[in-house]
Amino acid sequence: MTLPNSRNSPAPAAPVVERSALFEAITAVGDAAVPLLGDRRGATPVPGATWTVAEAAAHLAMANELMAGLAAGEDRPYGDGTPASLAAANAASLAELPERDPAVLAADIARHAREFTAAAGRRSGTEPVVTPLGPMDLDTLGAYLLTHMLGHLYDIAVALGRPHPIDRRRVELTMPFLRTAMPLVVDARAAAGHSACYRLRVRGLGGFAVTFTDGAAEVGQEPPRRADCTILTEPVAFLLIALGRYTATDALTRGKVLAWGRRPWLAARFPSLFTAP
């Protein structure tokens, strides 16, 4: 998939008062990998993926190290932002990292998460950085790191039958990244010709609007016109849908999502307009 010519209104960086909460969450989620992976069941398959638990942990350790390097100001190219290039970069990096001991990888995940917060803490949150999904500011990169860890640790937890680390507060801290990333991960084929205005509300966390005009997505705080479809989602379900771990149908049938408006049936289609990074 190539990136669409989206007219994006980037979400602002997390407010200054949120930086400490973001850094604390990154550290806590990184540390959560240690007990989660402590039983060393690395050969366990990850449901719905081709990776084992050990391979998912290796990817996460590598990604945390990459983002810590970006936070430190290093130039670290990694694909071109398209799903195919990111998949190729993931495969290449896994081949270069032979370690598969879950306990060792868990320690690396936690260590690199702390390295990120140490490096980012010495810089302004509004400083621009180039990431695997394109340019964004440093605090949005922090939200990207948190989102990425939550997604893969969720997968590992499901594979191992353990509690996952996602909660409402952590979902709130991922929102700057999710808003920034949405126009960048539109599935050009699925969205071709699509025009509609969506009002997204996450219970307890506020909301924002996503407007499609002939397949291009624009994100803003308020809809530019009357919304065609308003979607109200529970926080954890919102993140899992955004990351491709829940389908909209699953969430709707479980009562995690409600939809209304002039075209409420669009709620079921909305997640399919994007390709999870």
Side-chain angles (χ1 to χ4, degrees), residues 25-43:
I26 290 170
T27 300
V29 172
D31 288 348
V34 176
L36 180 59
L37 289 161
D39 60 12
R40 299 177 183 268
R41 286 190 285 156

Side-chain angles (χ1 to χ4, degrees), residues 111 147 153 194 213 245:
R111 175 166 56 85
T147 304
L153 291 178
H194 183 57
T213 305
R245 271 62 173 185

Side-chain angles (χ1 to χ4, degrees), residues 9-240:
S9 301
V16 174
V17 294
E18 292 292 323
R19 281 201 100 195
S20 61
L22 176 62
F23 290 171
E24 288 169 6
I26 290 170
T27 300
V29 172
D31 288 348
V34 176
L36 180 59
L37 289 161
D39 60 12
R40 299 177 183 268
R41 286 190 285 156
T44 304
V46 173
T50 59
W51 285 348
T52 63
V53 163
E55 288 167 335
H59 167 72
L60 199 47
M62 173 278 304
N64 281 16
E65 190 274 334
L66 169 68
M67 294 197 189
L70 294 176
E74 298 174 12
D75 183 14
R76 301 282 296 272
Y78 195 86
D80 62 9
T82 62
S85 73
L86 293 177
N90 289 342
S93 64
L94 280 176
E96 294 169 3
L97 179 64
E99 180 63 66
R100 292 295 182 269
D101 184 324
V104 173
L105 293 167
D108 288 343
I109 291 167
R111 175 166 56 85
H112 294 316
R114 291 178 180 274
E115 289 172 351
F116 176 92
T117 61
R122 293 190 289 267
R123 302 171 63 189
S124 167
T126 60
E127 283 194 46
V129 290
V130 177
T131 80
L133 281 178
M136 60 186 69
D137 64 51
L138 184 56
D139 278 355
T140 304
L141 175 63
Y144 183 1
L145 170 59
L146 179 61
T147 304
H148 190 258
M149 284 198 294
L150 289 172
H152 287 294
L153 291 178
Y154 172 86
D155 293 340
I156 291 169
V158 170
L160 298 177
R162 303 282 298 280
H164 65 72
I166 305 175
D167 61 25
R168 187 201 66 82
R169 178 55 170 156
R170 289 170 179 171
V171 173
E172 182 177 21
L173 294 167
T174 69
M175 296 296 281
F177 167 69
L178 295 175
R179 288 182 49 165
T180 297
M182 272 189 172
L184 303 177
V185 297
V186 169
D187 185 324
R189 181 175 299 178
H194 183 57
S195 295
C197 182
Y198 298 85
R199 177 73 167 135
L200 303 185
R201 293 173 54 190
V202 184
R203 194 180 299 277
L205 303 183
F208 58 98
V210 181
T211 303
F212 279 85
T213 305
D214 196 22
E218 181 175 359
V219 175
Q221 186 58 38
E222 297 296 334
R225 57 180 174 80
R226 183 183 175 188
D228 295 295
C229 181
T230 296
I231 304 172
L232 174 64
T233 313
E234 293 290 335
V236 173
F238 175 81
L239 181 60
L240 292 176

